Amino acid sequence: MQNIRSIFLMLAGVTVFVAMLLLTFSVTLAVGGILTVLMVGRALSMKMKPAPVRAKTNNGQREMRVWNDGRGTIIDL
């Protein structure tokens, strides 16, 4: 009777250990999958943003404006 009980407890312990191992593995895969989807979505959204365009007037020739507002000289390039 003692051997049957110890075998049963050993099998129960192994079953619980394997169940926890599978649970941990599945949660790890789920979190990894969610993070992968978020990273791919972010990378694709960064590519879809339009590049900023620099507008130039007078073929890039713009006069420099300098003025003093009473607190210091301001130079607008």
Side-chain angles (χ1 to χ4, degrees):
M1 189 70 178
Q2 190 71 12
N3 282 341
I4 294 174
R5 186 179 300 162
S6 62
I7 290 173
F8 176 74
L9 286 175
M10 182 185 70
L11 289 177
V14 169
T15 304
V16 169
F17 178 75
V18 170
M20 290 297 167
L21 189 69
L22 288 174
L23 178 68
T24 303
F25 184 69
S26 64
V27 169
T28 303
L29 281 180
V31 170
I34 291 170
L35 289 176
T36 301
V37 168
L38 289 176
M39 286 174 52
V40 167
R42 184 175 180 188
L44 289 177
S45 70
M46 296 290 265
K47 284 185 178 181
M48 290 190 291
K49 288 182 182 176
V53 176
R54 304 275 183 205
K56 294 183 179 180
T57 59
N58 299 332
N59 295 330
Q61 303 292 330
R62 188 173 159 196
E63 67 180 52
M64 182 172 60
R65 296 183 297 167
V66 179
W67 72 93
N68 190 341
D69 65 350
R71 291 178 289 176
T73 303
I74 298 172
I75 302 172
D76 185 13
L77 299 177

